[in-house]
């Protein structure tokens, strides 16, 4: 993240202390967040950290992605507050996630060759982009063609920022 720390996520239906689902280690190597035994099985796919480090998006294996506010406590530990949850229709888990500088986030599924982008507002989510690529066009138009055909329509957020 932008503070020199690292988020670590791994697929775990039942997290344990020896195989946690989500961990944050700060720049000094100290563990500040740990989701192990007794944790929720919500972290089972992609993880993306916002550019300012104040939000993460985490995907589960059941077609659900949640945005969490990262709350840094006085002692340096971290709490996560679930701000939004959405169900995506990628036909499987989201295996990659990323944020852009405008605060939009993107989920990807390489198996089904799908990318979805979301703008976050006080009212929830707006899906701003859905792309489906293919190897050599076998499943339709290439994702790169979709991205550059009409970029304002495909990649603009709620304020029409690219």
């Amino acid at each position: 993240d932008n503070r020199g720390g690292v988020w670590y996520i791994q697929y775990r239906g039942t997290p344990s202390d020896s195989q946690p689902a989500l961990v944050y280690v700060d720049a000094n190597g100290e563990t500040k967040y740990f989701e192990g035994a007794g944790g929720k099985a919500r972290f089972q796919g992609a993880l993306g950290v916002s550019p300012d480090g104040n939000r993460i998006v985490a995907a589960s294996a059941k077609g659900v992605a949640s945005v969490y506010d990262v709350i840094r406590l006085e002692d340096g530990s971290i709490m996560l507050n679930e701000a939004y949850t959405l169900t995506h229709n990628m036909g499987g888990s989201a295996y990659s996630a990323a944020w852009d500088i405008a605060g939009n986030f993107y989920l990807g599924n390489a198996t089904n060759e799908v990318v979805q982008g979301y703008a976050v507002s006080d009212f929830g989510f707006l899906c701003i982009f859905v792309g489906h690529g293919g190897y050599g066009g076998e499943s339709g138009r290439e994702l790169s063609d979709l991205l550059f055909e009409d970029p304002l329509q495909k990649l603009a957020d709620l304020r029409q920022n690219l």
Side-chain angles (χ1 to χ4, degrees):
D1 70 358
N2 66 345
R3 293 170 174 84
V6 175
W7 286 95
Y8 171 76
I9 191 169
Q10 66 176 343
Y11 181 94
R12 287 289 164 245
T14 307
S16 67
D17 289 340
S18 63
Q19 296 181 330
L22 183 65
V23 175
Y24 178 78
V25 178
D26 71 8
N28 297 320
E30 297 178 23
T31 300
K32 298 298 182 179
Y33 186 87
F34 187 91
E35 180 103 16
K40 299 176 184 171
R42 59 184 178 213
F43 306 113
Q44 299 175 330
L47 176 73
V49 181
S50 66
D52 63 8
N54 292 329
R55 282 197 160 160
I56 63 171
V57 59
S60 77
K62 299 183 180 181
V64 175
S66 296
V67 173
Y68 296 89
D69 292 322
V70 176
I71 301 166
R72 298 177 193 287
L73 304 176
E74 286 183 29
D75 67 358
S77 63
I78 290 178
M79 283 181 32
L80 296 179
N81 178 47
E82 189 172 51
Y84 304 99
T85 298
L86 69 91
T87 302
H88 58 75
N89 58 353
M90 290 190 186
S93 295
Y95 295 114
S96 59
W99 291 80
D100 66 19
I101 197 71
N104 305 307
F105 69 89
Y106 302 85
L107 301 174
N109 176 313
T111 305
N112 295 318
E113 302 163 5
V114 175
V115 174
Q116 294 179 346
Y118 297 88
V120 182
S121 77
D122 293 337
F123 305 107
F125 296 102
L126 171 65
C127 184
I128 58 171
F129 171 77
V130 177
H132 184 80
Y135 297 111
E138 78 182 42
S139 53
R141 299 172 57 205
E142 293 294 329
L143 181 57
S144 59
D145 293 340
L146 290 170
L147 286 172
F148 295 106
E149 178 182 276
D150 186 356
L152 185 60
Q153 180 182 8
K154 303 294 186 201
L155 295 174
D157 68 12
L158 292 174
R159 293 184 189 94
Q160 296 300 309
N161 296 314
L162 293 178

